[in-house]
Amino acid sequence: MTSAASENTGNRADSLPKSWNPSDVEARMYQGWVDAGYFTADVTSDKPTYSIVLPPPNVTGSLHMGHALNHTLMDALTRRKRMQGYEVLWQPGMDHAGIATQTVVEKQLAVDGKTKEDFGRELFIDKVWDWKRASGGTIQGQMRRIGDGVDWSRDRFTMDDGLSRAVQTIFKRLYDDGLIYRAERLVNWSPELRTAISDIEVKFEDVEGELVSLRYGSLNDDEPHVVVATTRVETMLGDTAVAVHPDDERYRAIIGTTLEHPITGRQIPIIADDYVDPEFGTGAVKITPAHDPNDFEMGVRHNLPMPNIMDERARIVGTGTEFDGMDRFEARVKVRERLAEEGRVVAEKRPYLHSVGHSERSGEAIEPRLSLQWWVKVETLAKSAGDAVRNGDTVIHPTSLEPRWFGWVDNMHDWCISRQLWWGHRIPIWYGPDGETVCVGPDETAPEGWTQDPDVLDTWFSSALWPFSTLGWPERTPQLEKFYPTSVLFTGYDIIFFWVARMMMFGLYVANDDAFGAKDVPNVPFKDVFLHGLIRDQFGKKMSKSRGNGIDPLDWVELYGADALRFTLARGAQPGSDLSIGESHAAASRNFVTKLFNAVKFALMNGAQPAQLPDRAELTDADRWILDRLDEVRAEVDTAFEAYEFGKACEALYHFAWDEVCDWYLELAKVQLTRPDEAHTRTVLGVVLDSLLRLLHPVIPFVTESLWKALTSGESVVISSWPEASGIETDVAAAQRIEDMQRLITEVRRFRSDQGLKDKQKVAARLVGIDAAALTAHEDAIAALARLTPPEDDFAVTASLEVRLSAATVTVELDTSGTVDLEAERRRLEKDLAAAEKELAGTAAKLSNDAFLAKAPDQVVDKIKARKVLAEEEVARIGARLADMGAK
């Protein structure tokens, strides 16, 4: 190397720190990307477009491991597409999270002994906005920590004026089309929050209760009566029937008759319904239509009264009994006690484990409750969402989840969209003094003196508009024209029903809107839907606060760096599959990042720099092999990315970088750098590392940015081009010679280890047959990597091994005299031999035991057979070594 080249190399290597410390560079590097505008989408660009919307996190939220996975995968795709020459928009934003946000602010007021009613609706909403400005959006700072390349200039909030206009617009259209209506139906009711909540906000937990069997009708066995069982005794105050199966002979005589309610004295009918399972319990069930989903459906079928016996706080009301005013759980005990006193409790089973829905936000058991709510009629909307996937306009990845999609959209119930909250998009319905109703659009004004509906819309209603409302709909905007439909939606498979289906329904409902302009593609909201799995701990258990096994992704960023977090998540990600991770995985990813950093720094110190490659004929076998492998790995990575198989892409890059570039080519390059044509090696090493860093950048952006800029002196790897195929035919012969060389070196290393030689200890050796194996040109590399020296005049063969290669067998003759403590080695081998013989005897004994073989599963027997074979090989190998040493 010339002195000028040496000085240049030193400067480039010196631009890197001594070691990679993520906390020193990541925050500053990220802000530099943002300031440079790398993530800002240009609506005037003539590049092909690629757009993704960020599933809007709750304004109250913080980054959990599921977010980190989702964000990492989206960021990897958008970074790659940007490098491929696309105009990329990754649309960020936050959800106003009606229930969660209102709850946070109400809890703050409660500290001072205040409630929202003390302030009134307008002042309370002002306080929520104050909280949002001061404390909301913690997750945005965390997104920056992990490197999310979103277009912050387009950050949106579901309560922005533009998005609110979109909500009001689509509500009115749906209302005018008869697809939004008001009706009294059963909902999931939260007594704590005093609102209806969605199915996704209900979490089912097994709880210990009591199954109580109650006697209705006469206490005289000779007179009409039935026995029913329930875990919710208090709801019997709202019973309006007892149901049996129409073919149940036990009750045929009393079907159509009535029995006196044990407490209220009302006459309630005995009805027949196919829903009842005659084999379960007594074959008779109590019907409380206002407080049970199945009972409600039966009540509709049989036109039963539906008295609501609980108020919004789940207190008993309107029954005319002594239980009015009691909390539902207190009433459960008191009603059972009264019935027991009257001899109507036939049996009690305690404890009785059963599944009960609980509010995700407030934790209490939800109450199925008949309530007057606003609904979306989903039949036609859901059909269009199903047809879009059937027609291939939208593709679900993996396709194995398509049946779940169809199972949901083809059987969807009407959607309850009203919430009894103050924070959120208020329902644009106004009521006149004489009961008139009008839906007010965004450019309309309600009649003077009319009153607006007090409810707000379900948060999922505004979220369902996210792919197009964030781009300016209902106005016709340049960004809507350029970036819609979006390219792909990323989300967990657990919310495919709740959010994805709603976006599809609303997107297709407005698909022909003039705002979208003329499109030559289907106006679905996204072309692909990628569904990733859930994050589990290293033992395969779902992460949760209650289990205490949750991991804060920011803790891993602090300990190991953002790149290590991202690589861990992406390496485990496959479409639709859960992934189990633990701290050992993050540590391994950190080690990979460190390995890469050290490798590139070493290469820079030795003059590596990407440049025009010389003619292939001027390159060594190792050069051609590593360039060909780079081509193959690039193709693997491209295929994997296009199929959303992030784990496969990361595995290919990991093993190429560690096993082939670092463990082999760098070591071979050290030898080649001592040869006259050293410049070619520096160029090849530079070209390979340049491409490798670009291939790795989407997943580990920080370390690759630092290394790539040092290696190439380029502006930023973020805006560099994605590696393309070389177009050069693979040199199969060179690859075979490198494979043979690797096998030979590996066998010598294994032999040295068996001999007890230290790693750096050099041994005199002669390679017999190297010419026939076509490895003459690699003899210096073999010697260097296997720690061998040429034989001298006093060379004496004390050990040898034969290695069968593709073209010939090479015999390696070694002179280990003076390098091995023969007596110590003999003792070690004898100890190993004794252990192997013990294992052989034990496995042989089991396999000759007929009683054992008759009872043991096949897989157990197979494992023991495999252990026996391995033990036999070890006995033979160690015995041969001892024989070579002249064992006593």
Side-chain angles (χ1 to χ4, degrees):
M1 193 191 323
T2 66
S3 59
S6 176
E7 182 179 351
N8 180 274
T9 299
N11 289 340
R12 290 189 298 121
D14 291 345
S15 68
L16 294 173
K18 182 178 180 181
S19 60
W20 180 248
N21 187 353
S23 60
D24 291 343
V25 298
E26 287 179 349
R28 183 177 67 254
M29 186 180 290
Y30 181 84
Q31 191 58 47
W33 292 333
V34 174
D35 293 343
Y38 295 154
F39 307 140
T40 304
D42 181 4
V43 75
T44 66
S45 166
D46 58 1
K47 297 178 182 177
T49 59
Y50 191 82
S51 60
I52 293 181
V53 294
L54 176 77
N58 286 354
V59 66
T60 60
S62 61
L63 203 69
H64 58 62
M65 208 49 102
H67 287 129
L69 169 64
N70 205 23
H71 290 212
T72 293
L73 302 185
M74 284 187 281
D75 192 44
L77 270 194
T78 53
R79 286 179 183 269
R80 174 174 175 265
K81 287 296 182 180
R82 190 177 292 113
M83 296 169 75
Q84 287 182 310
Y86 286 78
E87 191 62 42
V88 173
L89 170 62
W90 185 10
Q91 173 69 55
M94 288 189 298
D95 193 291
H96 64 279
I99 291 176
T101 307
Q102 179 162 320
T103 300
V104 167
V105 178
E106 285 195 79
K107 285 181 178 178
Q108 289 184 344
L109 297 179
V111 172
D112 298 324
K114 302 287 187 180
T115 67
K116 69 180 188 296
E117 286 78 12
D118 292 326
F119 294 90
R121 185 166 193 146
E122 297 301 324
L123 282 178
F124 175 76
I125 290 174
D126 287 343
K127 286 188 172 294
V128 179
W129 277 110
D130 289 342
W131 176 88
K132 189 263 179 185
R133 284 186 284 268
S135 307
T138 298
I139 204 167
Q140 292 181 329
Q142 297 172 326
M143 287 166 60
R144 293 171 179 266
R145 293 287 305 278
I146 66 171
D148 282 5
V150 298
D151 185 349
W152 290 112
S153 70
R154 298 178 184 274
D155 191 25
R156 304 304 302 270
F157 182 53
T158 50
M159 292 283 284
D160 286 349
D161 289 343
L163 273 67
S164 295
R165 180 179 179 83
V167 167
Q168 199 170 355
T169 298
I170 200 167
F171 186 100
K172 181 167 176 58
R173 289 191 189 180
L174 290 163
Y175 180 85
D176 289 347
D177 286 345
L179 296 176
I180 285 182
Y181 64 95
R182 198 182 192 202
E184 192 173 39
R185 292 190 175 180
L186 217 63
V187 296
N188 299 312
W189 186 265
S190 168
E192 181 73 23
L193 302 171
R194 287 174 286 163
T195 181
I197 60 177
S198 73
D199 290 342
I200 198 173
E201 291 158 333
V202 176
K203 302 300 178 186
F204 285 87
E205 303 171 10
D206 286 338
V207 299
E208 286 189 357
E210 56 183 15
L211 182 65
V212 181
S213 294
L214 307 176
R215 182 171 178 138
Y216 282 49
S218 175
L219 293 174
N220 186 336
D221 290 344
D222 296 330
E223 297 176 356
H225 67 277
V226 292
V227 174
V228 300
T230 181
T231 58
R232 305 179 66 219
V233 180
E234 74 283 3
T235 64
M236 65 90 64
L237 297 170
D239 285 353
T240 57
V242 172
V244 297
H245 193 276
D247 298 330
D248 194 332
E249 293 291 342
R250 293 171 294 178
Y251 303 111
R252 179 162 291 180
I254 61 172
I255 292 174
T257 65
T258 63
L259 295 175
E260 184 177 297
H261 188 282
I263 291 180
T264 67
R266 295 192 310 268
Q267 290 293 315
I268 60 175
I270 309 297
I271 63 173
D273 196 288
D274 289 335
Y275 170 78
V276 179
D277 180 2
E279 302 298 324
F280 182 77
T282 63
V285 292
K286 57 188 286 299
I287 306 301
T288 316
H291 294 280
D292 181 273
N294 297 316
D295 292 5
F296 175 79
E297 296 297 333
M298 244 187 287
V300 171
R301 286 197 294 272
H302 296 272
N303 196 29
L304 297 175
M306 299 186 182
N308 195 333
I309 63 163
M310 294 186 201
D311 67 8
E312 61 182 14
R313 295 183 184 274
R315 295 174 300 200
I316 305 298
V317 292
T319 67
T321 69
E322 70 266 30
F323 308 108
D324 283 353
M326 291 184 185
D327 173 79
R328 55 182 168 160
F329 298 118
E330 179 187 4
R332 181 173 300 174
V333 174
K334 296 299 184 182
V335 171
R336 177 176 50 77
E337 288 177 350
R338 173 172 163 178
L339 292 171
E341 289 172 1
E342 295 177 1
R344 293 188 176 277
V345 175
V346 178
E348 296 177 85
K349 182 180 179 182
R350 304 186 202 175
Y352 178 75
L353 195 67
H354 62 127
S355 183
V356 176
H358 288 71
S359 168
E360 183 183 43
R361 297 295 175 191
S362 49
E364 90 278 24
I366 64 105
E367 183 63 41
R369 182 171 184 259
L370 195 63
S371 180
L372 185 61
Q373 302 285 347
W374 286 96
W375 303 81
V376 172
K377 191 180 296 183
V378 301
E379 183 179 3
T380 58
L381 301 174
K383 183 180 184 304
S384 66
D387 290 344
V389 174
R390 289 187 179 94
N391 299 338
D393 295 338
T394 293
V395 179
I396 292 178
H397 302 267
T399 55
S400 60
L401 288 179
E402 280 187 1
R404 292 182 64 180
W405 170 262
F406 295 130
W408 173 254
V409 297
D410 292 347
N411 300 283
M412 190 182 295
H413 298 295
D414 285 359
W415 171 18
C416 176
I417 56 171
S418 47
R419 299 291 180 265
Q420 290 63 57
L421 303 170
W422 286 358
W423 172 246
H425 295 102
R426 195 162 175 182
I427 289 177
I429 295 289
W430 293 72
Y431 304 107
D434 298 320
E436 308 97 323
T437 300
V438 65
C439 180
V440 176
D443 298 315
E444 300 170 349
T445 304
E448 188 174 349
W450 286 38
T451 303
Q452 188 173 5
D453 194 291
D455 290 350
V456 300
L457 287 163
D458 177 13
T459 296
W460 296 98
F461 190 94
S462 52
S463 296
L465 310 179
W466 190 249
F468 49 93
S469 64
T470 52
L471 298 174
W473 187 89
E475 308 303 325
R476 184 169 182 174
T477 64
Q479 52 265 35
L480 194 62
E481 180 73 21
K482 186 168 183 64
F483 295 111
Y484 190 85
T486 63
S487 304
V488 60
L489 176 77
F490 270 71
T491 191
Y493 65 66
D494 52 332
I495 63 170
I496 178 175
F497 313 132
F498 301 99
W499 186 44
V500 182
R502 283 154 171 69
M503 285 189 289
M504 286 285 281
M505 290 192 303
F506 280 5
L508 290 164
Y509 174 69
V510 299
N512 296 321
D513 195 287
D514 290 340
F516 296 113
K519 301 279 187 177
D520 58 359
V521 295
N523 262 5
V524 288
F526 20 75
K527 300 166 189 173
D528 286 347
V529 176
F530 172 81
L531 301 168
H532 62 72
L534 304 178
I535 301 282
R536 298 183 181 275
D537 66 15
Q538 65 267 40
F539 305 109
K541 294 182 178 178
K542 184 177 178 180
M543 289 186 181
S544 69
K545 291 180 182 178
S546 60
R547 285 196 180 97
N549 64 344
I551 301 171
D552 185 340
L554 272 299
D555 288 346
W556 279 9
V557 172
E558 292 288 344
L559 285 170
Y560 305 113
D563 287 330
L565 167 72
R566 293 167 59 110
F567 194 76
T568 300
L569 295 170
R571 191 178 182 187
Q574 293 297 346
S577 299
D578 293 350
L579 61 154
S580 297
I581 55 172
E583 195 149 334
S584 61
H585 298 92
S589 295
R590 185 267 320 274
N591 294 343
F592 174 64
V593 171
T594 301
K595 181 86 168 179
L596 185 69
F597 179 86
N598 291 338
V600 176
K601 189 166 186 179
F602 166 82
L604 286 172
M605 293 174 64
N606 284 275
Q609 190 167 9
Q612 181 65 41
L613 286 168
D615 187 88
R616 294 273 286 193
E618 299 178 41
L619 300 179
T620 66
D621 281 349
D623 295 337
R624 293 195 291 273
W625 163 73
I626 199 65
L627 289 169
D628 289 343
R629 284 295 299 132
L630 174 64
D631 251 2
E632 292 164 357
V633 170
R634 182 209 55 79
E636 286 181 57
V637 170
D638 275 341
T639 299
F641 266 120
E642 293 302 319
Y644 304 109
E645 294 176 333
F646 298 92
K648 286 186 178 180
C650 290
E651 282 297 303
L653 287 168
Y654 175 89
H655 289 292
F656 176 66
W658 193 302
D659 300 345
E660 297 179 296
V661 174
C662 295
D663 285 359
W664 283 107
Y665 186 71
L666 277 181
E667 297 304 312
L668 294 170
K670 292 176 185 178
V671 178
Q672 294 183 177
L673 287 171
T674 65
R675 298 174 183 169
D677 57 354
E678 56 169 339
H680 294 347
T681 298
R682 293 189 176 91
T683 299
V684 171
L685 188 52
V687 167
V688 170
L689 291 175
D690 169 28
S691 290
L692 176 59
L693 292 172
R694 284 184 282 149
L695 289 169
L696 281 165
H697 173 73
V699 179
I700 50 174
F702 293 103
V703 70
T704 52
E705 171 80 332
S706 182
L707 295 175
W708 188 85
K709 290 173 71 173
L711 179 70
T712 67
S713 301
E715 179 183 342
S716 173
V717 69
V718 177
I719 54 172
S720 66
S721 61
W722 185 253
E724 296 183 352
S726 68
I728 298 174
E729 186 177 352
T730 299
D731 190 331
V732 177
Q736 184 61 65
R737 288 190 290 271
I738 294 299
E739 183 181 333
D740 285 344
M741 180 181 64
Q742 290 172 332
R743 175 171 171 76
L744 180 58
I745 293 169
T746 300
E747 290 302 317
V748 173
R749 287 172 173 173
R750 183 178 293 117
F751 188 80
R752 287 171 56 98
S753 176
D754 288 344
Q755 294 285 330
L757 295 170
K758 295 182 175 62
D759 287 344
K760 294 185 179 181
Q761 190 172 9
K762 293 190 175 182
V763 181
R766 180 165 52 221
L767 304 178
V768 180
I770 194 85
D771 295 342
L775 294 179
T776 305
H778 300 288
E779 194 163 2
D780 59 342
I782 294 169
L785 271 63
R787 298 286 192 271
L788 304 177
T789 60
E792 298 181 357
D793 293 340
D794 59 347
F795 179 79
V797 178
T798 60
S800 66
L801 75 154
E802 292 183 349
V803 183
R804 177 64 189 172
L805 304 177
S806 62
T809 296
V810 173
T811 301
V812 184
E813 299 176 341
L814 302 100
D815 182 356
T816 58
S817 58
T819 62
V820 179
D821 182 340
L822 293 179
E823 188 57 37
E825 178 63 7
R826 182 182 291 109
R827 288 196 298 271
R828 183 183 72 81
L829 289 171
E830 287 173 343
K831 182 178 178 181
D832 290 348
L833 179 62
E837 288 174 337
K838 182 178 179 181
E839 170 72 357
L840 178 59
T843 53
K846 283 189 176 181
L847 293 173
S848 62
N849 185 331
D850 292 338
F852 169 78
L853 294 176
K855 295 180 180 179
D858 291 344
Q859 61 266 32
V860 173
V861 175
D862 290 342
K863 285 183 179 180
I864 294 173
K865 287 180 179 178
R867 285 169 50 193
K868 181 174 180 289
V869 170
L870 184 61
E872 289 171 341
E873 291 173 351
E874 282 293 281
V875 168
R877 183 184 66 81
I878 298 170
R881 281 284 299 113
L882 286 169
D884 288 344
M885 296 174 66
K888 296 178 181 178

